[in-house]
Amino acid sequence: MAPSNTSSAASDVLRAPLPTLTPEFVAEHYPSQLRLVHVDLLHRHGERTPVSHRIPEISPKYWNICAKGNPLHRDFLKAIGRNTESAGGDGTDGGVQWQSHIFKNATRSSGTIFGVSSAAAQHPSDTSQPTEATCGFGQLTDTGRQSMAALGANMRELYVDALRFLPNTLHSNNKSDTLYLRTTIYTRAFESLQHVLGGLYPEIPVGSPKLRVHVRPSDRDNLFPDFGCKQMVKQSMKLNAQNIERNEAEFQQLHQDMLKIPGLSAYLDADHKSGQAQAAISVMDVVAPMHIHDMPLPQGINDELIGRLSHMASVENLHSAWQSSAVARMQIGQLVYELAGNIVDAVQTDRAPIAATQPQLGIYSGHDTTLAPLLAVFGHDADKPTHDAPPNLEWPPYASSMRIELLNDTVSPHPTVQPSWEQDPAHPSADPSKVPFDERVRPTNVPKSLYQWTSRRQGSGPTEQVNPRATRDYYVRVWYNDRALLLPACRDPGAHHSKHGPSVCTLDGFFKQIARFAATEKETRVECLAS
């Protein structure tokens, strides 16, 4: 393999930026009158190896970049072996060396987007040999562990040190109402969560009660799309094919440029005809981990090419969620529904006249397929005649994170105008689930009680009335890595904070943005089976 002509610094498109928590940043975004009530942190796992061995002409058969992580991984497998009915490994030497899923028999199909595996192939120029540092395919690397610990440390600097929102340490009397922890069945996601926690709370006292981590069966997990949803797959493939056709010239140019790179031409000729779908993601899944781990790459594979691969991989796979609210809803709607419920629970707990417990921080450890459709949900503009993805859309980098912050402000002036949707005629159905998705102004799990207030008329007892402004002291802000997102529904003058602008949505502005996407399990099942 020829040496690369790139610098040792990995491309920005591969590494998620963290917010720089200067005093000015904290003062601007977290003034004293904005009180944090609840935060949900969703993240992609850290840097990993490719999901399988492909393009042996340029990539090593043995990825020896897990020297520090392998002992931790073995300890992890032993731990879950004690606490689950089935745990095992798929190491080639008969021992428990590497396991991609938490449960031995719990596998999940991710489709066929990554192309053909060359599991047994080793190119003559590849001198790699198995060592104690050899990773499994799809394994969290030592670099990935560092990235996740850095994310946790950044969250500690913000939510513990700067804002005093979370306690300084986790003790037995506060852990249950401080954190809610969730991961998918993939070990790289679970171990990423471990390292986020290690950065957030680096000194948990020995003997402290164990933290509960929630893991759902793969066929019931809403942290990623279910590829068994036939209608989602059908609509996604149709839209993705149209996107590829619209971008044919760019795909053709990328294909021609990659054919000039030693080692790639044979792979492309064998597995991907010119302009065929999935070429970008298949190549990126190999060269991106090599690049970010400073492995030698052929001349021509550099930051610029990887940036193009990231964008075209998004065209191949992610644009459909931006173009169709139904596709996005089938991909991630059940998680949106759950996150809306978290916000409702946090508001009700915050307003409760007696002390109640609600996790202050929820951490959801997922994947690129968790964050990508959520970006489409938060970026969807219902007022646009077409719903194309942003022209600069890129694949979510490793260790990317999204934070949904619930805020309370009883000091600043409230918006003085009504949001436009409050003036629209109400749907005649009294059952929220009967309202078409595109006509909903809030998710169906937002109860009327959230808007009830007690009034008294002279000569009569108290009566319960619905006040659409009853939640006006609550706001929601969504962060993606180091920037606050501007949710289109919150551009409405009555739907955002009077001082902090559209990035700080009113609670109802946030609900309006996500309403057409939040779906129950039953609603998703009906859509998936629709003809």
Side-chain angles (χ1 to χ4, degrees), residues 126-439:
D126 176 15
T127 59
S128 66
Q129 296 294 324
T131 70
E132 289 295 317
T134 301
C135 313
F137 287 104
Q139 183 175 349
L140 188 71
T141 66
D142 291 351
T143 298
R145 293 172 186 273
Q146 293 171 359
S147 295
M148 302 316 296
L151 173 61
N154 188 264
M155 295 299 96
R156 178 178 181 83
E157 185 181 354
L158 176 61
Y159 293 126
V160 177
D161 300 337
L163 301 178
R164 301 289 191 267
F165 171 63
L166 296 175
N168 186 54
T169 58
L170 287 180
H171 298 295
S172 59
N173 62 342
N174 68 15
K175 70 179 183 64
S176 62
D177 58 0
T178 298
L179 301 176
Y180 171 83
L181 307 176
R182 173 103 171 270
T183 181
T184 68
I185 62 171
Y186 288 87
T187 55
R188 60 178 174 268
F190 200 124
E191 291 179 277
S192 290
L193 175 61
Q194 286 183 299
H195 287 281
V196 171
L197 279 173
L200 181 61
Y201 287 106
E203 297 181 3
I204 297 179
V206 176
S208 295
K210 295 178 181 178
L211 296 170
R212 181 183 297 274
V213 178
H214 299 261
V215 186
R216 297 182 183 179
S218 58
D219 60 346
R220 299 290 298 275
D221 199 341
N222 58 22
L223 280 176
F224 38 43
D226 177 11
F227 286 93
C229 175
K230 295 181 180 179
Q231 192 60 223
M232 180 203 77
V233 173
K234 179 181 177 180
Q235 292 189 34
S236 296
M237 291 181 64
K238 179 181 178 180
L239 289 170
N240 289 337
Q242 294 172 356
N243 290 325
I244 292 167
E245 185 176 353
R246 278 197 297 268
N247 293 271
E248 182 178 2
E250 193 171 353
F251 270 109
Q252 292 283 1
Q253 186 60 56
L254 177 63
H255 187 87
Q256 291 302 316
D257 291 344
M258 289 194 294
L259 286 176
K260 301 173 185 176
I261 298 173
L264 283 185
S265 56
Y267 174 73
L268 293 171
D269 287 340
D271 293 329
H272 299 283
K273 298 184 184 299
S274 179
Q276 182 177 330
Q278 316 307 337
I281 184 62
S282 298
V283 174
M284 190 179 76
D285 187 62
V286 174
V287 301
M290 293 181 68
H291 187 47
I292 207 166
H293 290 97
D294 295 330
M295 292 182 174
L297 284 163
Q299 293 285 331
I301 300 181
N302 50 31
D303 287 354
E304 187 269 340
L305 180 73
I306 290 176
R308 291 166 63 193
L309 286 170
S310 174
H311 175 65
M312 299 314 291
S314 300
V315 173
E316 289 177 342
N317 297 280
L318 307 183
H319 275 214
S320 56
W322 288 80
Q323 295 168 304
S324 168
S325 57
V327 168
R329 186 167 53 246
M330 286 184 281
Q331 287 182 348
I332 209 71
Q334 292 182 68
L335 177 60
V336 175
Y337 184 88
E338 180 176 330
L339 295 172
N342 293 349
I343 295 292
V344 170
D345 291 345
V347 171
Q348 291 178 325
T349 300
D350 192 56
R351 296 197 310 196
I354 57 175
T357 59
Q358 160 82 7
Q360 294 170 273
L361 173 66
I363 305 179
Y364 295 76
S365 186
H367 306 266
D368 43 15
T369 49
T370 307
L371 298 186
L374 283 176
L375 286 172
V377 168
F378 294 132
H380 180 88
D381 191 341
D383 294 331
K384 285 188 175 181
T386 60
H387 305 291
D388 291 335
N392 60 345
L393 183 67
E394 294 174 338
W395 204 267
Y398 298 115
S400 287
S401 63
M402 184 175 285
R403 291 177 285 129
I404 304 173
E405 296 177 334
L406 175 65
L407 306 154
N408 179 260
D409 185 351
T410 59
V411 177
S412 301
H414 305 113
T416 58
V417 296
Q418 285 185 323
S420 58
W421 59 85
E422 284 189 9
Q423 303 170 28
D424 295 338
H427 192 275
S429 176
D431 182 355
S433 66
K434 302 298 183 184
V435 179
F437 282 108
D438 288 350
E439 296 180 31

Side-chain angles (χ1 to χ4, degrees), residues 19-70:
T20 303
L21 302 176
T22 63
E24 292 77 17
F25 176 92
V26 174
E28 177 185 357
H29 297 290
Y30 300 93
S32 58
Q33 73 271 18
L34 272 184
R35 177 175 61 90
L36 267 174
V37 178
H38 177 81
V39 179
D40 277 327
L41 167 67
L42 304 101
H43 65 76
R44 185 189 180 190
H45 55 75
E47 289 87 339
R48 59 158 173 77
T49 55
V51 296
S52 65
H53 183 41
R54 294 187 311 285
I55 323 182
E57 293 81 4
I58 68 170
S59 65
K61 182 176 181 180
Y62 301 101
W63 290 64
N64 298 322
I65 49 177
C66 292
K68 295 180 180 179
N70 277 343

